[in-house]
C-alpha cells in the first residue's frame, strides 16, 4: 500500500536480513542526566509488526526511553540495536528512515501550514535542497487522508485545536514511512471519538503494513485492548513485560502504579479493564 520506493527498499532489506531477529532490541540500557539515573538496565525487544504499549507512572522514564530510542540522546550506556546493528553506528538521518518519533506534546509555535509541516516528515528520504518528489507528495497526501487532516491542510498549525494538532503530528510521522513508530502519548488530547479513530488507524497501520509500534500511554485500558504486549516502567526500570491479560491484574497494577484499581471484565472482549471508583466501598 505504501507508495514510497524508499519504504519498499528499507522494508525489503528488513525482511531479507532476518525474520526472526527483533527489529529493535534494547539491552541493559542505562541513562543518567546530571549524575541522576533516569533509566537503569532497561532491556526489551520489539519484533517486526508488533504493537507494544509502554506504561508507568509519571516520571518513570518513559519519555526519556523514547528519546534514547530516537537518538535524541546518544550518551546512554548499553545497547540499542536495529536488526542487530548498533544504533550508535547509524547517522541521525538514516535512523530516521527506520524509526519515526512522535514526541510528547510540546507547546511550540509551528508557523507552517499543516501540509508543509507534514512534508517535513519526509526529510530523511531526500536532499534538503531538492523539491519534493512525487513519492513525497503522495506520502503526505496519504498521511493527511489517513489522519483526517486533509480538509485543513492549508491552515497554519498554531491555529489548530489540541486534537487537530495532535493528528497533524501523527500525520508527519506517518509521512516518514518507517517500519517502526515511537509514539509518546499520541492520543492524550483527543476526545473519545478521535482517540478511538486514531487507535484504529494505528491498528490498521500495524496489522496491514506490519509497522511495529512502541506507544507510551497513560490509557491502560486502551493499551490492554490494542497492544500485543505491555512493558511497564517504574523508577527507570522495567518491572513488567508480558501480555495485556497478565498485566491487567490488581496485584501487578498495584506494583506499577502504587494503586489498587477496580477491574471488571470488558462486556464484549472479556479482558479486565479499569473502571473509575468514587473512593467509597464499591471496590
Ligand atoms: P515519564 O515520561 O515517564 O513521565 P520522563 O522520562 O519525562 O518520565 O522523566 C523521568 C525522570 O527524569 C523524571 O524524574 C524527570 O524529572 C527526569 N528528567 C527527564 N528529563 C530531564 C532533564 N532533561 N533534566 C533533568 N531531569 C530530567
Ligand atoms: Mg512522558
Amino acid at each position: 500500500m505504501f507508495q514510497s520506493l524508499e519504504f519498499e527498499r528499507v522494508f525489503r532489506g528488513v525482511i531479507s536480513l532476518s525474520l526472526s531477529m527483533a527489529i529493535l532490541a534494547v539491552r541493559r540500557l542505562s541513562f543518567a542526566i546530571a549524575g541522576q539515573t533516569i533509566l537503569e538496565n532497561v532491556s526489551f525487544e520489539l519484533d517486526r509488526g508488533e504493537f507494544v504499549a509502554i506504561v508507568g507512572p509519571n516520571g518513570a522514564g518513559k519519555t526519556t526511553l523514547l528519546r534514547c530510542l530516537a537518538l535524541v540522546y546518544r550518551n546512554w550506556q548499553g545497547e540499542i540495536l536495529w536488526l542487530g546493528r548498533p544504533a550508535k553506528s547509524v547517522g541521525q538521518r538514516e535512523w530516521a528512515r527506520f524509526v519515526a518519533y512522535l514526541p510528547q506534546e510540546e507547546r511550540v509555535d509551528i508557523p507552517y501550514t499543516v501540509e508543509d509541516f507534514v512534508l517535513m516528515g519526509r526529510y530523511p528520504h531526500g536532499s534538503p535542497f531538492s523539491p519534493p518528489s512525487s513519492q513525497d507528495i503522495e506520502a503526505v497526501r496519504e498521511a493527511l487522508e489517513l489522519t483526517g487532516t486533509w480538509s485543513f491542510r492549508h491552515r497554519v498549525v498554531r491555529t489548530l485545536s489540541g486534537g487537530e494538532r495532535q493528528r497533524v503530528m501523527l500525520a508527519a510521522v506517518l509521512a516518514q514511512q518507517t517500519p517502526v513508530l515511537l509514539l509518546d502519548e499520541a492520543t492524550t488530547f483527543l476526545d473519545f471519538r478521535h482517540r478511538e479513530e486514531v487507535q484504529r488507524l494505528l491498528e490498521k497501520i500495524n496489522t496491514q503494513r506490519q509497522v511495529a509500534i512502541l506507544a507510551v500511554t497513560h490509557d491502560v485500558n486502551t493499551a490492554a485492548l490494542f497492544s500485543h504486549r505491555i512493558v511497564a516502567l517504574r523508577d527507570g526500570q522495567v518491572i513488567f513485560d508480558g501480555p495485556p491479560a497478565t498485566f491487567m491484574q490488581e496485584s501487578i497494577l498495584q506494583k506499577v502504579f502504587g494503586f489498587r484499581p477496580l477491574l471488571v471484565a470488558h462486556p464484549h472482549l472479556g479482558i479486565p479493564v479499569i473502571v473509575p471508583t468514587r473512593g467509597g466501598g464499591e471496590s
Side-chain angles (χ1 to χ4, degrees), residues 33-34 36 38 56-65 67 73 104 184-185 216 218 233:
I33 298 177
Q36 195 198 329
I38 313 280
N58 293 322
K62 305 178 299 294
T63 293
T64 306
L65 173 63
R67 284 185 178 155
Y73 297 134
Q104 199 168 350
D184 201 348
E185 298 189 30
V216 168
H218 282 299
L233 285 184

Side-chain angles (χ1 to χ4, degrees), residues 123-188:
Y123 77 95
H125 296 281
S127 147
F129 304 110
S130 54
S133 67
S134 55
Q135 283 103 353
D136 292 334
I137 289 164
E138 178 55 27
V140 169
R141 188 193 58 76
E142 189 185 43
L144 292 171
E145 283 182 356
L146 279 170
T147 52
T149 55
W150 174 261
S151 62
F152 50 86
R153 65 191 181 282
H154 300 307
R155 297 255 310 269
V156 174
V157 176
R158 69 164 164 246
T159 69
L160 302 176
S161 75
E164 290 165 342
R165 182 188 156 100
Q166 203 146 6
R167 285 185 288 139
V168 169
M169 299 293 142
L170 186 62
V173 291
L174 293 181
Q176 211 172 316
Q177 293 187 333
T178 54
V180 173
L181 291 182
L182 307 175
L183 308 174
D184 201 348
E185 298 189 30
T187 56
T188 302

